[in-house]
Amino acid sequence: MKKYLGIFVVMLAITASAFTVNHKDAKLAGSSYTYNLYGQPGQNNSSNLNNPANYTFVGTSSLSCSGSINRCGVEDATDDGFGHPDFTKSYTIRVRN
């Protein structure tokens, strides 16, 4: 009987550990994101500019925009684990006319 109880306890521990393992998302640094609202009404509202959901991951290379008026994206950012920039970390703003 003790043998079966021991096997049951081991199986229960293995099953429970499958649900309690902490899987961490990879967070890429040096990523570039385009600003989805560029050219749209409200593009320069701070609530839109500071919302990571308004940005789309495009890769790790530089963005091909230049200028000095409206934000077109961010570079050198860290991914938040959901394909958006993590604005609590450092990043570089890219702008264009």
Side-chain angles (χ1 to χ4, degrees):
M1 185 68 164
K2 289 182 181 181
K3 181 179 179 181
Y4 293 118
L5 180 60
I7 292 172
F8 174 73
V9 169
V10 170
M11 288 176 41
L12 182 62
I14 291 171
T15 303
S17 71
F19 295 102
T20 60
V21 173
N22 186 8
H23 300 285
K24 296 188 180 209
D25 294 324
K27 296 192 178 203
L28 302 174
S31 299
S32 296
Y33 302 84
T34 57
Y35 181 48
N36 300 335
L37 299 179
Y38 178 79
Q40 303 293 320
Q43 71 179 355
N44 293 322
N45 293 347
S46 63
S47 61
N48 290 332
L49 290 170
N50 297 319
N51 184 352
N54 291 332
Y55 294 82
T56 301
F57 176 76
V58 292
T60 55
S61 61
S62 294
L63 296 175
S64 61
C65 57
S66 62
S68 61
I69 297 177
N70 298 305
R71 185 180 296 189
C72 68
V74 294
E75 294 178 339
D76 302 321
T78 301
D79 194 275
D80 67 358
F82 300 100
H84 303 291
D86 183 352
F87 287 138
T88 63
K89 310 269 192 244
S90 66
Y91 60 93
T92 304
I93 297 171
R94 294 296 305 236
V95 294
R96 69 176 165 202
N97 297 333

